[in-house]
Amino acid sequence: MTKVMNLLSGLCGLIVGVANSRSLACAIAQAAHHAGAEIALSYQNDRFSKHVHKIGKELNAAFVSACDVNNDEEIAALGEQVEKQWGRLDFLVHAVAFAKREELSGDFLATSRDGFRLALDTSVYSLVGLTRCLTPMLKLGVGAPSVLTLSYLGGERAVPNYNVMGVAKAALEAAVRYLACDLGPYGIRVNALSPGPVRTLSAAGVSGLRDLMGFIEHAAPLRRNIDAQDVGDAAVFALSSLSRGVTAEVIHVDGGYSKTGVPPFTI
Ligand code: NAD
């Protein structure tokens, strides 16, 4: 029987979207490292360089490099680095999203054309661009090669203040299904995790996060908010061959909140 500790043993994975030690990408990198994977980390720009290099050192990362996912040349350079380092890729984690702060409060109706374009380009097209660039490497991947992205309930239901990011997550989940259909014939899986709210740099940009988390603590079937480690461990399952039959799927890591209809009457 496979030991849990070695679930990703011998696999090489690129994790895109680490900003700091609170990032979900960081928790996924830690969990993947502990499960035996060799990882590489990518971050947006110089602003995050120090934090991410420190994390990379702790996790013995094969490389740590900057890549602005809105820039095709930088995506191509990242792809070349993967090819040079490993000559193949067993998993890609996409943990990237952005919307202007002013789009994440008040009415969705007020969303600007610019804000809409930026949110969807950064949070959705980046998955397509990165996956396309890395497909030749993933085709050579071992185990049950896969791409994993991070969505949120706001893509399925209207969540106060999530606004344009909810529309981006709906598009992201559709992109997961289309990419899964394109890449399935090559044995490459594409899935999303949909975690409940966790306090991170990005989450802090969404107005009312504290109230939302306070509500979920009482309303979720598990009666708690999830944490980044819950996401990291679920990612190990999604990236490992234990989930080899799972693709085009959105796996909720939210204490069951998304499956409830009416919150407990005692709240
Ligand atoms: P985070 O701020 O730590 O991570 C977001 C990352 O996106 C950052 O590293 C940021 O630098 C990166 N990014 C933004 N624009 C970029 C660009 N142009 N090029 C490269 N990188 C860019 O926050 P997080 O909460 O860990 O977010 C990771 C993912 O998880 C996001 O997709 C987010 O929507 C999703 N998610 C988060 C929560 C939550 O509550 N924290 C819940 C569900 C889903």
Side-chain angles (χ1 to χ4, degrees), residues 1-11 31-38 91 143 236-237 239-242:
M1 210 169 83
T2 320
K3 281 197 207 142
V4 172
M5 263 187 70
N6 295 329
L7 272 177
L8 302 181
S9 173
L11 303 189
H33 171 71
H34 290 128
E38 186 175 5
F91 62 83
V236 169
F237 163 73
L239 299 173
S240 78
S241 57
L242 284 186

Side-chain angles (χ1 to χ4, degrees), residues 16-20 22-25 43-44 48 67-70 94-98 122 150-152 162 165 169 194-203 209:
V16 179
V18 188
N20 55 38
R22 287 179 164 242
S23 295
L24 298 183
Y43 59 95
Q44 184 177 359
F48 305 104
C67 172
D68 182 333
V69 298
N70 290 339
H94 170 272
V96 171
F98 182 77
T122 310
L150 293 175
S151 191
Y152 175 60
Y162 204 61
M165 192 50 73
K169 293 304 190 192
S194 182
V198 179
R199 217 172 288 282
T200 62
L201 192 62
S202 293
L209 180 73

Side-chain angles (χ1 to χ4, degrees), residues 42-61:
S42 161
Y43 59 95
Q44 184 177 359
N45 56 33
D46 286 352
R47 192 179 146 207
F48 305 104
S49 173
K50 205 172 133 197
H51 286 305
V52 184
H53 273 94
K54 184 167 175 276
I55 294 164
K57 207 168 166 193
E58 286 162 6
L59 301 181
N60 210 8

Side-chain angles (χ1 to χ4, degrees), residues 5 10 14 24 51 69 133 149 168-169 231 249 257 263:
M5 263 187 70
L14 172 66
L24 298 183
H51 286 305
V69 298
C133 169
T149 187
K169 293 304 190 192
V231 179
E249 196 58 83
Y257 178 70

Side-chain angles (χ1 to χ4, degrees), residues 79-97:
E80 280 167 24
Q81 204 163 357
V82 168
E83 185 170 9
K84 205 169 126 202
Q85 181 70 37
W86 290 317
R88 69 167 214 271
L89 187 66
D90 306 320
F91 62 83
L92 163 68
V93 175
H94 170 272
V96 171

Side-chain angles (χ1 to χ4, degrees), residues 50 117 178 188 260:
K50 205 172 133 197
R117 209 174 357 220
Y178 279 95
I188 302 167
T260 60

Side-chain angles (χ1 to χ4, degrees), residues 184-197:
Y186 303 102
I188 302 167
R189 305 175 298 119
V190 185
N191 291 299
L193 297 182
S194 182

